[in-house]
Amino acid sequence: MAKQWQGVISEYIDRLDIDKNTPIITLGEGGTPLVHAPALAKLVGAQDVWLKVEGMNPTGSFKDRGMTMAVTKAVAHGAKAVICASTGNTSASAAAYAAKAGIKSVVLIPEGKITLGKLAQAIAHKAVILQVRGNFDDCLVLARDLSENYAVHLVNSVNPDRLEGQKTASFEVFDYLGFAPDYHVMPVGNAGNYSAYFKGYKELQRDGFISTLPKQLGFQAAGSAPFVAGHPIANPETIATAIRIGNPASWDLAINAREESNGEFDSVTDEEILSMHRYLSNEIGVFVEPSSATGAAGLLKFAKAGKVPSDAKIVITVTGHGLKDVGWALKDENGEEVKPTSCSKDASEVADLLGLEKN
Ligand code: F0G
């Protein structure tokens, strides 16, 4: 019988900071595909490009890797409720894992700024949802405040259990390829994921599996790019709502990761994000939410600037599933709504419509 993937805690228990007897709360997260993308490699002039498709996690984003650890540990510590601030994916994940654990979840979201798909997930998993009149950064301040003063456990990535779980993505990349890529590219919001990948690669290096760390390239949306500005942004704006964050929680960890990995932060415009979002689904067959295309969009920007070596092996993490934010996919490149053509049930009429030749 085929072995089913057991979730990141069971699969990597020896490399995670967790007591082996702790009851694990899992939905089978991790083990996501690394999709080889030769067409994208050609587009950016690199030797090889793979997409780490994190939308294949149980709730459709990479957050599940960290959430299994955070909720497992919260329950082990006796928590009866978890809380998070979120641009949508963390809340979907927290709500699902809390439902599995049989505890309450409270999610704080910026009013009007999360996608319907993500809101539906939080509702489906019966989270208590509060829309805060403010942005994500305000939500996080509020979540931290409540968790410090009331009986509710914080599961944002400022909780180290989250990064501990998310580092398993680096292990999977190495386990699959048998080497570490020259570059690892991803979108950056709070920079928790960027910091978690670095943690994973550092441990692989410490344990003698790899000698050189991948250069980590982190990309932000131009209207929401505090790492590029070098300071927090008061009013971040971008269509990439998942990464609409002005004051990243993992600032110091991320700066250290960039320095030690010899990496870079840069930004891309909303137009570049949407164009890459379309390219990935049209040409590669991978449907991601717009925010998740930010890394690949950044790599293309680097390629145009002559910054991608022709012998480079590159992994790009695409962080969340396209079904979470379908609005952009339903429009063409001119912003017009795409409507399927209506047709009769007659084969010859339909063949005419399709321009099919008779055999
Ligand atoms: N991509 C997606 C789809 C995300 O949802 C997020 C973060 C990121 C990238 C950036 O990751 O914050 O670790 O740098 N979403 C958070 C949330 C903030 O609440 O769902 P990061």
Side-chain angles (χ1 to χ4, degrees), residues 62-63 86-87 89-90 188-193 242-243 245 289 292 319:
F62 69 96
K63 305 287 181 182
S86 183
T87 56
N89 280 322
T90 300
V188 169
N190 264 316
N193 210 28
I243 53 171
I245 294 173
E289 58 173 294
S292 300
T319 43

